[in-house]
């Protein structure tokens, strides 16, 4: 787990969220909220839209506040446009289109709320990014009405053009992977190791949550059992009622603690599972750019085309590769800082919740046992003449 350990000074939990990175602006000028999910049913499909409210003080926006509605496909479009415009920047991940089997049904309240939070995080991570936040398609996404956004989408390349680009990209990616510079080989090794570890953490966290929900359901049954038992055992009624009361308080504390997993820890861990997939995609796009350059250099070497034209293309591609590599290295360091901070904060918050939970449960039972000990010590005295 060393690759996940943040190199940060030990500090109280209250200070963790105050950490600022050097590349972040001191004054935030773009605030985005995703809320008010709304179901739409047509003859062809059922889908959910979300209200996206934007407040800003930036001069390039026509107003200081915008309100639009967006569906999941619109978020997918935005992510695709960002990847197209910034192929080697680490674009924040979107939640999966369909929920993982065994969790919740599609379009029930839990699923919709989980997705809403993830979409809110997606947009705000873009807003906080020093480059992505100024992307023109991002601005259109935040401000354009539905018909305007639909019109804007149609301005992109056609289907056949995209298919051709995809075929070339796959071929170039395979070739590019062979000629990676050493620093990007190290980066790829980190991504593979990180992916394995964060996926394992995600599975363990999900299993712990499932098992503790089952534990809570069982504990909820014990309180009523002791209450009924107290009604049939007159001599033990007070003691059994006390046990039932302690169980009820522990159930309440357990529910409160379990709420912290789906609200704080699980979403953070799963987001970085998706980030690991995003990082692999970024490396492939970097390799595609590198492979395109290598193919032109090879063509020039074997004189497969006009040398003057190839020389000009190679010069442009060399600049493109340099810009891509520089952008990736800078964004990589920024992402690692964010990742370390997010994961440390999530686990520190969960640890603090656990400490509070166990202290509360321990105090509940200690208070009960003390009362029983006092009762037992008094009973012999009352029986003596």
């Amino acid at each position: 787990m060393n690759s996940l350990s943040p190199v940060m000074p030990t500090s109280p939990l209250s200070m963790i969220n105050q950490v600022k990175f050097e590349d972040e602006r001191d004054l935030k000028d773009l605030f985005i909220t995703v809320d008010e999910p709304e179901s739409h049913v047509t003859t062809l499909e059922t889908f959910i839209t979300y209200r996206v409210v934007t407040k800003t003080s930036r001069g390039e926006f026509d107003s200081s506040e915008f309100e639009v509605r967006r569906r999941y496909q619109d978020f997918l479009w935005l992510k695709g446009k960002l990847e197209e415009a910034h192929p080697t920047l680490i674009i924040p991940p979107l939640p999966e289109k369909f929920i993982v089997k065994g969790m919740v049904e599609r379009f029930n309240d839990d699923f919709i709320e989980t997705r809403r939070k993830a979409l809110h995080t997606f947009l705000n991570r873009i807003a906080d990014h020093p480059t992505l936040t100024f992307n023109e398609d991002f601005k259109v996404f935040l401000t354009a009405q539905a018909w305007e956004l639909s019109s804007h989408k149609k301005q992109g390349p056609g289907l056949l053009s995209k298919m051709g680009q995809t075929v070339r990209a796959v071929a170039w990616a395979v070739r590019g992977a062979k000629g990676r510079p050493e620093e990007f080989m190290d980066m790829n090794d980190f991504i593979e190791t990180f992916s394995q570890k964060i996926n394992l953490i995600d599975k363990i966290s999900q299993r712990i949550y499932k098992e503790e929900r089952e534990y809570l359901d069982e504990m909820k049954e014990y309180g009523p059992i002791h209450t009924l038992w107290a009604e049939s055992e007159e001599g033990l009624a007070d003691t059994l009622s006390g046990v039932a009361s302690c169980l009820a308080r522990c159930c309440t504390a357990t529910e409160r603690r379990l709420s912290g997993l789906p609200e704080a820890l699980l979403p953070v861990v799963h987001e970085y599972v998706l980030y690991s997939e995003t990082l692999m995609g970024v490396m492939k796009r970097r390799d595609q750019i590198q492979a395109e350059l290598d193919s032109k250099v090879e063509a020039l070497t074997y004189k497969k085309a006009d040398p003057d034209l190839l020389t000009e293309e190679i010069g442009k591609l060399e600049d493109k590769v340099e810009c891509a590599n520089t952008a990736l290295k800078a964004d990589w360091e920024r992402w690692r800082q964010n990742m370390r901070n997010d994961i440390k904060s999530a686990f520190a918050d969960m640890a603090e919740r656990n400490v509070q939970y166990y202290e509360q449960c321990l105090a509940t039972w200690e208070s009960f046992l003390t009362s029983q000990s006092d009762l037992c010590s008094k009973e012999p005295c009352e029986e003596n003449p």
Side-chain angles (χ1 to χ4, degrees), residues 79-96:
K79 184 172 183 290
K81 296 299 288 185
L82 292 174
E83 289 174 345
E84 181 182 317
H86 310 282
T88 56
L89 291 184
I90 302 171
I91 311 300
L94 279 170
E96 298 94 337

Side-chain angles (χ1 to χ4, degrees), residues 96-308:
E96 298 94 337
K97 186 170 184 179
F98 298 106
I99 201 69
V100 179
K101 184 179 179 182
M103 292 180 65
V104 293
E105 294 298 325
R106 189 182 183 210
F107 293 159
N108 74 6
D109 291 343
D110 289 339
F111 170 78
I112 293 172
E113 178 60 12
T114 298
R115 172 170 283 186
R116 183 200 66 77
K117 290 178 179 178
L119 296 177
H120 176 88
T121 299
F122 169 74
L123 292 183
N124 278 278
R125 285 199 183 279
I126 295 173
D128 292 339
H129 193 282
T131 301
L132 300 178
T133 187
F134 296 108
N135 178 272
E136 185 63 25
D137 289 306
F138 181 47
K139 177 185 173 185
V140 170
F141 177 91
L142 296 176
T143 62
Q145 293 305 310
W147 66 270
E148 294 175 310
L149 181 63
S150 178
S151 176
H152 186 77
K153 287 180 179 180
K154 294 176 182 178
Q155 297 175 12
L159 177 61
L160 292 178
S161 176
K162 289 181 178 179
M163 290 177 62
Q165 292 173 5
T166 302
V167 172
R168 289 194 299 272
V170 171
W172 285 337
V174 173
R175 178 171 181 165
K178 299 177 182 178
R180 282 181 185 153
E182 185 176 353
E183 59 187 323
F184 293 109
M185 292 295 292
D186 293 340
M187 194 180 293
N188 191 70
D189 291 341
F190 177 94
I191 293 170
E192 291 179 354
T193 302
F194 175 80
S195 178
Q196 293 173 0
K197 291 182 177 181
I198 200 67
N199 272 279
L200 180 59
I201 292 173
D202 187 46
K203 290 177 182 178
I204 292 173
S205 300
Q206 295 286 353
R207 188 178 68 198
I208 290 174
Y209 180 67
K210 180 176 179 293
E211 291 176 351
E212 293 206 358
R213 291 298 311 181
E214 293 172 352
Y215 164 73
L216 175 61
D217 291 339
E218 291 181 6
M219 187 162 57
K220 284 181 177 180
E221 297 177 1
Y222 294 147
I225 289 174
H226 282 79
T227 299
L228 290 173
W229 189 4
E231 294 176 357
S232 60
E233 293 283 352
E234 185 177 347
L236 297 173
D238 291 342
T239 299
L240 293 173
S241 295
V243 171
S245 177
C246 289
L247 288 168
R249 287 197 291 272
C250 287
C251 282
T252 300
T254 303
E255 284 183 308
R256 190 180 303 114
R257 181 173 69 99
L258 285 181
S259 68
L261 276 169
E263 289 178 3
L265 181 62
L266 298 184
V268 172
V269 171
H270 193 66
E271 183 187 18
Y272 279 97
V273 169
L274 300 178
Y275 256 124
S276 68
E277 299 170 5
T278 296
L279 292 169
M280 293 177 184
V282 171
M283 290 300 297
K284 287 181 180 178
R285 291 194 291 274
R286 194 220 70 85
D287 291 341
Q288 291 165 13
I289 298 171
Q290 179 72 55
E292 187 177 0
L293 171 61
D294 293 343
S295 68
K296 296 296 182 183
V297 171
E298 181 181 329
L300 180 62
T301 302
Y302 293 100
K303 300 180 180 178
K304 295 180 180 179
D306 180 9
D308 293 335

